[in-house]
């Protein structure tokens, strides 16, 4: 397995663990001193701090992880990009889906040292909606055909 493929596997496992609320499993992939930087410049150095801050924004969030790209930079760190969409439920109980995200990870010695997050949550309005009808159709939950 290449270093890039191994790094993608680490990121996938980290994001899957976060999505199911398993902070202990996710934390195994973080290096000491890791930093997670979210929209608005919000910085977290622990998953507990991230979870506490997220609780005021939504009840649940997870990712449809649709695409990965990985490369090794000039320092030997592996950079992994994860792209897809967010889904979940806001604090008013309104479900949402299809909100774009991009995460950029830096891994060193097989551990995440940095995560940078970009998404359209603020632009979508899903976090402040009080009813599904307040959400544009592209961000409403997917319905089976």
């Amino acid at each position: 397995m290449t270093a890039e493929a191994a790094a993608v596997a680490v990121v996938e496992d980290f994001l899957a663990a976060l999505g199911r609320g398993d902070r202990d499993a996710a934390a195994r992939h973080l290096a000491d001193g890791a930093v997670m930087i979210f929209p608005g410049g919000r910085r977290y150095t622990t998953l507990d701090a991230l979870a506490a801050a997220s609780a005021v924004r939504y009840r649940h969030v997870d990712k449809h992880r649709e695409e990965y790209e990985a490369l090794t930079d000039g320092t030997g760190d592996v950079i992994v990009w994860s792209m897809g969409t967010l889904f979940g439920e806001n604090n008013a109980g309104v479900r949402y889906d299809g909100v774009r995200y991009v995460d950029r990870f830096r891994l060193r010695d097989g551990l995440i040292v940095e995560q940078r997050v970009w998404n359209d949550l603020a632009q979508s309005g899903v976090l402040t909606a009080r009813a599904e009808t307040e959400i544009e159709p592209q961000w409403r939950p997917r319905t089976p055909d």
Side-chain angles (χ1 to χ4, degrees):
M1 178 180 291
T2 66
E4 291 85 359
V8 167
V10 166
V11 169
E12 171 61 26
D13 195 60
F14 174 77
L15 293 174
L18 285 180
R20 66 178 182 272
D22 189 346
R23 281 183 256 165
D24 291 336
R28 289 195 301 262
H29 298 297
L30 294 175
D32 289 340
V35 63
M36 296 162 280
I37 306 164
F38 279 70
R42 296 184 325 264
R43 299 172 73 88
Y44 307 100
T45 56
T46 69
L47 293 176
D48 289 340
L50 173 60
S54 298
V56 301
R57 295 172 57 88
Y58 38 74
R59 291 181 185 172
H60 175 73
V61 66
D62 199 354
K63 297 177 176 181
H64 297 293
R65 296 172 299 280
E66 298 165 0
E67 183 179 352
Y68 285 104
E69 293 179 7
L71 60 97
T72 300
D73 74 4
T75 69
D77 290 353
V78 180
I79 308 301
V80 176
W81 294 86
S82 172
M83 294 144 291
T85 59
L86 302 172
F87 66 96
E89 184 178 339
N90 73 12
N91 281 333
V94 178
R95 292 177 39 230
Y96 60 89
D97 198 350
V99 178
R100 292 181 313 164
Y101 84 87
V102 174
D103 289 352
R104 179 186 184 272
F105 293 87
R106 176 176 293 277
L107 288 84
R108 185 173 301 136
D109 300 324
L111 295 173
I112 297 166
V113 296
E114 181 182 73
Q115 177 188 15
R116 293 177 179 256
V117 175
W118 295 271
N119 63 56
D120 288 337
L121 280 173
Q123 291 78 5
S124 70
V126 300
L127 297 179
T128 58
R130 308 309 268 165
E132 188 175 292
T133 54
E134 294 178 22
I135 299 174
E136 294 293 326
Q138 71 265 29
W139 296 305
R140 293 181 186 165
R142 298 175 184 173
T143 57
D145 294 333

